[in-house]
């Protein structure tokens, strides 16, 4: 019989699951003071997922279950709610505006007026085959006063809302939800991955002054642009770490696993830094013998693909119209962000300051040494997103039943998996 921690009802326990093309990361945590306490971490290789999309529900469910069970073994506590990240080319976004007329002489703006302005923004949008993930306020305008963060309580005759709408294809939403259900889990909320990652790696001042987050996953690089404290643009580039590994495997005539090892241990995105005479060993395609190759040659293969990635990212940023406002530059996160020289190459192509972002240690306690890595940015951000949501007074009423209902579902799965009495 395993012993499990008791749950403090005043401090909800949350689970976060980052479903990526190359790995699935699960965290279990709770609020502790002003920080997030990470209680458990689970990591598994992805299966049944390509470029952020589920292509085999059974395989994806098995990988999710494996990652979640590993986190549970360490945390020894049952999460109340589970948050999951979603991204890829099935996610799309749109900037919208909507105006609400109050009365000619002006009156005090209520919370209901604000909700009406937000909800009305999507009235003319064709949402057939789409599921709304987020309706994010960018700014409010009261009469002629712009840049308002919260207009409730102000006096005005007209209220205008600028919002960022993020949607996902209904089929992709269904496949994600079905994969979790087959893994024995109910997802309380699907969250756009770059939005979650931004919560973990960006400073509020960076979001205010203008910055781009690039989350480089295995199959795609997801992009989110922030300005004035709000998300202003989001997009996706169909290249990621798996493309680099594939090119390396072909160029070196080796297996995908061996190419991944070489990328992680010997890779560099700026080949000019590599001496001409430095060599490394790699297994041949049949894995029967070792071959000696120049490290510089391997890094030139990596650099070519990373350069292509940054050229596509630059095109997306330029097309957004926010390039002139990015005083904070670009922050890279995701597993491939730790590739040596990637920030330097990115800066030279994007002509902007570039840094690598990891979850801030000051914002996390518990297993902080494990999660202080770009690979865990989305999972950490999902925890922060969920904890902010459940402590928001406006969200409490809708969560009361979910807390009890969903926890019981996890417990049932938990008992089946660990054969608990």
């Amino acid at each position: 019989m395993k012993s499990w921690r008791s749950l403090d009802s005043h401090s909800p326990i949350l689970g976060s699951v980052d479903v990526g093309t190359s790995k699935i990361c699960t965290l279990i945590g709770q609020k502790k003071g002003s920080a997030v306490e990470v209680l458990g971490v689970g990591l598994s290789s992805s299966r049944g997922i390509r470029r952020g999309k589920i292509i085999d529900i059974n395989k994806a469910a098995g990988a999710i279950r494996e990652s979640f069970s590993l986190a549970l073994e360490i945390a020894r506590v049952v999460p109340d709610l589970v948050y999951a990240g979603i991204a890829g080319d099935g996610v799309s976004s749109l900037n919208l505006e909507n105006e609400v007329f109050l009365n000619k002489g002006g009156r005090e703006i209520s919370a209901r007026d604000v909700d009406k302005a937000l909800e009305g923004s999507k009235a003319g949008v064709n949402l057939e085959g789409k599921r709304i993930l987020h309706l994010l306020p960018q700014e409010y305008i009261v009469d002629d006063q712009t840049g308002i963060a919260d207009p409730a309580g102000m006096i005005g005759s007209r209220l205008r809302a600028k919002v960022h709408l993020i949607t996902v294809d209904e089929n992709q939403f269904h496949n994600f939800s079905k994969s979790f259900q087959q893994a024995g889990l109910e997802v309380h909320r699907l969250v756009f991955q770059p939005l979650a990652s931004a919560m973990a790696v960006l400073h509020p001042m960076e979001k205010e002054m203008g910055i781009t987050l690039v989350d480089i996953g295995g199959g795609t690089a997801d992009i989110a642009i922030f300005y004035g404290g709000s998300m202003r643009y989001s997009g996706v580039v169909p290249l990621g770490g798996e493309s680099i590994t594939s090119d390396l495997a072909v160029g070196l005539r080796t297996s995908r696993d061996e190419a991944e090892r070489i990328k992680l241990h010997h890779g560099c995105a700026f080949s000019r830094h590599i001496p001409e005479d430095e060599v490394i060993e790699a297994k041949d395609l049949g894995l029967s013998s070792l071959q000696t190759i120049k490290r510089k040659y391997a890094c030139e293969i990596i650099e070519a693909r990373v350069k292509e990635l940054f050229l596509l990212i630059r095109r997306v940023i330029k097309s957004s119209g926010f390039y002139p406002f990015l005083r904070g530059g670009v922050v890279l996160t995701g597993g491939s962000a730790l590739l040596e020289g990637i920030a330097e190459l990115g800066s030279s192509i994007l002509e902007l300051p570039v840094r690598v972002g990891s979850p801030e240690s000051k914002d996390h306690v518990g297993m902080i040494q494990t999660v202080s890595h770009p690979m865990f940015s989305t999972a950490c951000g999902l925890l922060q997103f969920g904890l902010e949501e459940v402590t928001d007074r406006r969200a409490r009423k809708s969560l009361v039943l979910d807390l009890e209902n969903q926890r019981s579902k996890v417990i049932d799965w938990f008992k089946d998996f660990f054969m608990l009495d």
Side-chain angles (χ1 to χ4, degrees):
M1 167 70 80
K2 299 182 184 294
S3 121
W4 305 97
R5 298 174 188 166
S6 60
L7 178 68
D8 177 2
S9 61
H10 298 293
S11 179
I13 306 293
L14 300 187
S16 69
V17 186
D18 172 17
V19 180
T21 300
S22 59
K23 51 83 182 161
I24 296 176
C25 172
T26 298
L27 298 182
I28 295 174
Q30 64 181 344
K31 195 78 172 172
K32 189 168 186 179
S34 61
V36 176
E37 182 181 17
V38 179
L39 303 171
V41 179
L43 200 61
S44 68
S45 296
S46 290
R47 300 185 294 276
I49 302 164
R50 182 182 299 157
R51 290 189 175 178
K53 288 186 174 181
I54 307 292
I55 60 172
D56 188 317
I57 289 176
N58 290 329
K59 288 182 179 179
I64 292 168
R65 188 181 181 101
E66 179 184 337
S67 174
F68 203 86
S69 65
L70 289 170
L72 286 172
E73 281 275 31
I74 297 170
R76 295 182 175 273
V77 67
V78 180
D80 295 289
L81 299 173
V82 176
Y83 285 73
I86 191 168
D89 55 14
V91 178
S92 56
S93 63
L94 192 64
N95 286 332
L96 304 168
E97 291 189 28
N98 182 49
E99 189 168 52
V100 174
F101 291 92
L102 305 170
N103 68 33
K104 190 174 182 180
R107 64 169 173 83
E108 184 173 312
I109 298 170
S110 67
R112 186 175 180 180
D113 294 324
V114 177
D115 290 340
K116 185 178 178 181
L118 285 176
E119 289 299 314
S121 65
K122 63 180 190 287
V125 180
N126 182 8
L127 294 172
E128 185 177 355
K130 301 283 187 181
R131 181 71 68 100
I132 294 177
L133 289 178
H134 305 282
L135 192 62
L136 304 172
Q138 294 175 329
E139 68 169 315
Y140 297 95
I141 301 169
V142 177
D143 295 337
D144 295 321
Q145 185 179 348
T146 62
I148 297 171
D150 185 358
M154 300 180 70
I155 300 291
S157 58
R158 291 178 292 113
L159 172 63
R160 184 150 51 110
K162 292 187 175 183
V163 302
H164 188 66
L165 174 69
I166 302 176
T167 64
V168 62
D169 291 344
E170 188 70 49
N171 290 342
Q172 187 173 349
F173 183 92
H174 168 82
N175 293 339
F176 257 75
S177 300
K178 188 72 173 179
S179 296
F180 275 88
Q181 288 170 7
Q182 287 200 193
L185 301 169
E186 285 290 334
V187 177
H188 174 69
R189 182 83 179 269
L190 274 178
V191 180
F192 185 43
Q193 287 179 0
L195 179 63
S197 297
M199 296 189 74
V201 304
L202 297 185
H203 303 288
M205 185 55 68
E206 289 178 317
K207 293 181 182 180
E208 190 68 35
M209 67 193 301
I211 196 162
T212 295
L213 176 85
V214 180
D215 192 342
I216 308 175
T220 62
D222 297 290
I223 300 167
I225 296 176
F226 295 84
Y227 179 68
S230 305
M231 185 183 288
R232 302 288 174 162
Y233 182 89
S234 55
V236 62
V237 169
L239 285 179
E242 291 290 321
S243 300
I244 301 170
T245 302
S246 296
D247 284 2
L248 206 53
V250 172
L252 302 183
R253 294 181 57 80
T254 189
S255 69
R256 185 251 172 233
D257 288 344
E258 181 68 354
E260 180 71 10
R261 183 190 69 80
I262 292 169
K263 182 182 76 173
L264 292 176
H265 296 285
H266 304 290
C268 180
F270 231 19
S271 62
R272 69 183 66 177
H273 294 321
I274 310 302
E276 293 284 351
D277 59 350
E278 186 175 352
V279 297
I280 58 176
E281 289 186 330
K283 294 178 182 178
D284 64 20
L285 197 54
L287 303 179
S288 57
S289 61
L290 293 175
Q291 56 177 321
T292 300
I293 58 174
K294 286 189 174 183
R295 184 187 175 208
K296 189 177 185 70
Y297 173 64
C299 293
E300 285 172 346
I301 295 173
I302 293 171
E303 181 177 358
R305 182 60 90 172
V306 176
K307 185 176 182 179
E308 180 186 6
L309 172 63
F310 279 119
L311 288 171
L312 291 172
I313 291 170
R314 185 175 71 176
R315 184 185 303 170
V316 171
I317 295 174
K318 292 270 191 180
S319 68
S320 73
F322 285 94
Y323 185 85
F325 304 102
L326 300 179
R327 291 177 293 168
V330 175
V331 175
L332 306 177
T333 195
S336 296
L338 279 186
L339 187 63
E340 182 184 338
I342 194 169
E344 188 176 355
L345 179 62
S347 183
S348 68
I349 294 174
L350 301 176
E351 298 179 303
L352 289 168
V354 176
R355 71 172 176 88
V356 175
S358 299
E360 292 282 345
S361 58
K362 66 179 178 60
D363 297 329
H364 299 82
V365 294
M367 302 180 68
I368 181 59
Q369 294 300 322
T370 302
V371 301
S372 294
H373 186 291
M375 177 173 61
F376 291 98
S377 296
T378 295
C380 285
L382 287 169
L383 273 185
Q384 290 177 238
F385 183 98
L387 289 169
E388 284 192 15
E389 184 175 78
V390 299
T391 53
D392 187 328
R393 290 181 180 178
R394 289 173 297 179
R396 276 190 185 277
K397 289 184 179 180
S398 64
L399 289 173
V400 170
L401 293 177
D402 284 331
L403 283 170
E404 183 174 349
N405 186 36
Q406 294 199 35
R407 183 170 183 251
S408 67
K409 292 178 182 178
V410 176
I411 290 174
D412 289 342
W413 172 86
F414 208 41
K415 287 180 178 178
D416 290 341
F417 188 78
F418 291 104
M419 293 182 292
L420 298 176
D421 295 329

